[in-house]
Amino acid sequence: MNFSIRDAVKNDMPRILDLITELAIFEKEPDAVKITSDDLKVFGFGEHPQFHCFVAEVDGQIEGMALVYKRFSTWTGLVLHLEDLIVSQAKRGCGLGTALLDSVVTYAKAIGVKRVSWEVLDWNAPAISFYEKKGANIMREWNVVQLNEEGIKNYLSKL
Protein backbone atom coordinates (compact mmCIF):
# COMPACT_ATOMS: atom_id res chain seq x y z
CA MET A 1 0.00 0.00 0.00
CA ASN A 2 1.30 3.44 -0.91
CA PHE A 3 0.84 6.20 1.63
CA SER A 4 2.40 9.51 2.56
CA ILE A 5 2.91 11.43 5.78
CA ARG A 6 2.60 15.20 5.77
CA ASP A 7 1.91 18.12 8.06
CA ALA A 8 -1.79 18.67 8.57
CA VAL A 9 -3.44 21.78 7.17
CA LYS A 10 -6.50 23.64 8.39
CA ASN A 11 -8.81 21.94 5.89
CA ASP A 12 -7.84 18.53 7.33
CA MET A 13 -9.48 19.24 10.68
CA PRO A 14 -12.93 17.76 9.93
CA ARG A 15 -11.25 14.42 9.09
CA ILE A 16 -8.97 14.77 12.14
CA LEU A 17 -12.10 15.15 14.25
CA ASP A 18 -13.55 11.99 12.65
CA LEU A 19 -10.41 10.08 13.68
CA ILE A 20 -10.55 11.53 17.21
CA THR A 21 -14.18 10.38 17.46
CA GLU A 22 -13.24 6.93 16.15
CA LEU A 23 -10.58 6.71 18.88
CA ALA A 24 -13.06 7.81 21.56
CA ILE A 25 -15.43 5.03 20.50
CA PHE A 26 -12.57 2.49 20.54
CA GLU A 27 -11.59 3.70 24.02
CA LYS A 28 -15.20 3.24 25.21
CA GLU A 29 -15.75 7.00 25.64
CA PRO A 30 -18.08 7.75 22.69
CA ASP A 31 -19.49 10.93 24.26
CA ALA A 32 -16.19 12.33 25.54
CA VAL A 33 -15.23 14.37 22.47
CA LYS A 34 -16.34 17.95 23.04
CA ILE A 35 -13.96 19.71 20.64
CA THR A 36 -15.13 20.77 17.16
CA SER A 37 -13.27 20.96 13.87
CA ASP A 38 -13.51 24.77 14.21
CA ASP A 39 -11.79 24.51 17.62
CA LEU A 40 -9.04 22.44 16.02
CA LYS A 41 -8.63 25.06 13.29
CA VAL A 42 -8.36 27.89 15.82
CA PHE A 43 -6.01 26.09 18.22
CA GLY A 44 -3.84 24.51 15.55
CA PHE A 45 -3.64 27.25 12.98
CA GLY A 46 -4.19 30.52 14.82
CA GLU A 47 -1.64 33.21 15.60
CA HIS A 48 -0.03 31.01 18.27
CA PRO A 49 -0.62 27.36 17.28
CA GLN A 50 -1.10 25.10 20.29
CA PHE A 51 -0.28 21.86 18.51
CA HIS A 52 1.38 20.31 15.46
CA CYS A 53 -0.32 17.52 13.58
CA PHE A 54 0.87 14.94 11.07
CA VAL A 55 -1.49 13.05 8.80
CA ALA A 56 -1.15 9.76 6.94
CA GLU A 57 -2.80 9.73 3.54
CA VAL A 58 -3.73 6.67 1.51
CA ASP A 59 -5.01 7.38 -1.99
CA GLY A 60 -5.77 10.99 -1.06
CA GLN A 61 -7.75 10.02 2.05
CA ILE A 62 -6.51 10.76 5.58
CA GLU A 63 -6.35 7.43 7.41
CA GLY A 64 -4.18 8.39 10.38
CA MET A 65 -2.92 11.27 12.44
CA ALA A 66 -0.50 12.16 15.22
CA LEU A 67 -1.08 15.31 17.25
CA VAL A 68 1.75 16.70 19.40
CA TYR A 69 2.54 19.77 21.46
CA LYS A 70 5.47 21.10 23.48
CA ARG A 71 5.57 21.09 27.24
CA PHE A 72 8.27 21.57 29.84
CA SER A 73 9.83 19.13 32.29
CA THR A 74 11.54 20.44 35.41
CA TRP A 75 13.92 17.49 35.13
CA THR A 76 14.85 17.50 31.45
CA GLY A 77 13.61 20.71 29.82
CA LEU A 78 11.59 20.71 26.62
CA VAL A 79 9.36 17.70 26.04
CA LEU A 80 7.10 16.81 23.14
CA HIS A 81 3.76 15.35 24.21
CA LEU A 82 2.07 12.96 21.79
CA GLU A 83 -1.60 13.54 22.55
CA ASP A 84 -2.93 11.00 20.08
CA LEU A 85 -1.62 8.68 17.40
CA ILE A 86 -4.63 7.33 15.55
CA VAL A 87 -4.90 5.02 12.56
CA SER A 88 -8.35 4.26 11.19
CA GLN A 89 -9.52 0.75 12.06
CA ALA A 90 -9.50 -0.28 8.39
CA LYS A 91 -5.83 0.65 7.92
CA ARG A 92 -4.24 -0.70 11.11
CA GLY A 93 -1.31 -3.03 10.57
CA CYS A 94 -0.31 -1.42 7.25
CA GLY A 95 2.63 0.66 8.54
CA LEU A 96 0.82 3.97 9.03
CA GLY A 97 1.34 3.98 12.80
CA THR A 98 5.06 3.35 12.42
CA ALA A 99 5.37 6.10 9.79
CA LEU A 100 3.47 8.56 11.98
CA LEU A 101 5.59 7.72 15.03
CA ASP A 102 8.73 8.06 12.88
CA SER A 103 7.56 11.55 11.91
CA VAL A 104 6.88 12.49 15.53
CA VAL A 105 10.31 11.33 16.71
CA THR A 106 12.04 13.02 13.77
CA TYR A 107 10.16 16.25 14.57
CA ALA A 108 11.10 15.91 18.26
CA LYS A 109 14.78 15.67 17.36
CA ALA A 110 14.52 18.62 14.95
CA ILE A 111 12.99 20.92 17.59
CA GLY A 112 15.50 19.84 20.24
CA VAL A 113 13.30 18.22 22.87
CA LYS A 114 14.79 15.86 25.44
CA ARG A 115 11.86 13.46 25.63
CA VAL A 116 8.67 12.40 23.87
CA SER A 117 5.88 11.41 26.26
CA TRP A 118 2.40 9.96 25.84
CA GLU A 119 -0.16 7.76 27.56
CA VAL A 120 -1.63 4.43 26.55
CA LEU A 121 -4.59 2.64 28.12
CA ASP A 122 -3.51 -0.35 30.19
CA TRP A 123 -5.95 -2.64 28.35
CA ASN A 124 -4.75 -1.63 24.86
CA ALA A 125 -2.33 -4.53 24.47
CA PRO A 126 -1.71 -4.02 20.73
CA ALA A 127 -0.67 -0.39 21.29
CA ILE A 128 1.51 -1.29 24.28
CA SER A 129 3.23 -4.00 22.25
CA PHE A 130 3.71 -1.59 19.32
CA TYR A 131 5.30 1.07 21.54
CA GLU A 132 7.53 -1.42 23.36
CA LYS A 133 8.77 -2.81 20.03
CA LYS A 134 9.70 0.77 19.09
CA GLY A 135 11.78 1.10 22.27
CA ALA A 136 9.37 3.14 24.36
CA ASN A 137 9.41 2.77 28.13
CA ILE A 138 5.92 1.97 29.45
CA MET A 139 5.94 3.47 32.96
CA ARG A 140 3.33 1.32 34.66
CA GLU A 141 4.03 2.72 38.12
CA TRP A 142 2.79 6.21 37.11
CA ASN A 143 -0.85 7.28 37.10
CA VAL A 144 -2.43 9.96 34.95
CA VAL A 145 -3.94 12.73 37.08
CA GLN A 146 -6.45 15.24 35.72
CA LEU A 147 -8.98 17.84 36.73
CA ASN A 148 -11.67 18.09 34.08
CA GLU A 149 -13.70 21.28 33.57
CA GLU A 150 -16.11 20.37 36.36
CA GLY A 151 -13.20 19.39 38.62
CA ILE A 152 -11.54 22.76 38.05
CA LYS A 153 -14.79 24.53 38.88
CA ASN A 154 -15.25 22.46 42.06
CA TYR A 155 -11.65 22.97 43.10
CA LEU A 156 -11.87 26.75 42.68
CA SER A 157 -15.18 26.89 44.56
CA LYS A 158 -13.33 25.66 47.65
CA LEU A 159 -10.64 28.36 47.61
Side-chain angles (χ1 to χ4, degrees):
M1 174 177 54
N2 291 326
F3 61 86
S4 62
I5 306 297
R6 63 169 174 80
D7 293 339
V9 297
K10 190 184 269 193
N11 289 341
D12 295 330
M13 294 306 104
R15 179 63 181 138
I16 297 302
L17 182 59
D18 290 344
L19 288 167
I20 292 168
T21 302
E22 183 178 332
L23 177 66
I25 292 166
F26 173 78
E27 292 184 349
K28 301 174 178 72
E29 297 269 354
D31 300 319
V33 178
K34 306 299 182 203
I35 200 159
T36 67
S37 61
D38 286 339
D39 293 332
L40 290 167
K41 289 174 184 177
V42 169
F43 289 115
F45 301 92
E47 187 175 337
H48 301 287
Q50 299 298 306
F51 64 82
H52 187 89
C53 187
F54 298 96
V55 295
E57 279 189 324
V58 179
D59 298 325
Q61 173 72 19
I62 295 171
E63 296 289 354
M65 61 81 91
L67 190 145
V68 298
Y69 57 89
K70 293 179 203 170
R71 61 184 220 199
F72 191 82
S73 165
T74 56
W75 289 7
T76 61
L78 283 179
V79 174
L80 190 67
H81 183 80
L82 173 58
E83 180 64 21
D84 281 319
L85 191 157
I86 307 167
V87 174
S88 65
Q89 182 71 37
K91 300 296 181 191
R92 292 186 188 149
C94 298
L96 299 180
T98 293
L100 285 164
L101 188 58
D102 291 351
S103 293
V104 167
V105 175
T106 300
Y107 177 73
K109 179 69 172 165
I111 63 173
V113 301
K114 304 297 182 191
R115 181 174 75 217
V116 179
S117 296
W118 64 97
E119 289 89 30
V120 61
L121 289 169
D122 62 357
W123 55 261
N124 191 347
I128 291 168
S129 176
F130 171 78
Y131 295 135
E132 286 178 329
K133 286 177 186 169
K134 299 299 181 193
N137 178 26
I138 310 293
M139 301 173 71
R140 289 176 174 87
E141 63 276 8
W142 286 76
N143 292 303
V144 176
V145 180
Q146 297 179 340
L147 282 174
N148 64 16
E149 191 173 11
E150 186 66 24
I152 293 168
K153 189 170 122 181
N154 289 339
Y155 184 98
L156 293 174
S157 73
K158 297 173 186 171
L159 295 181

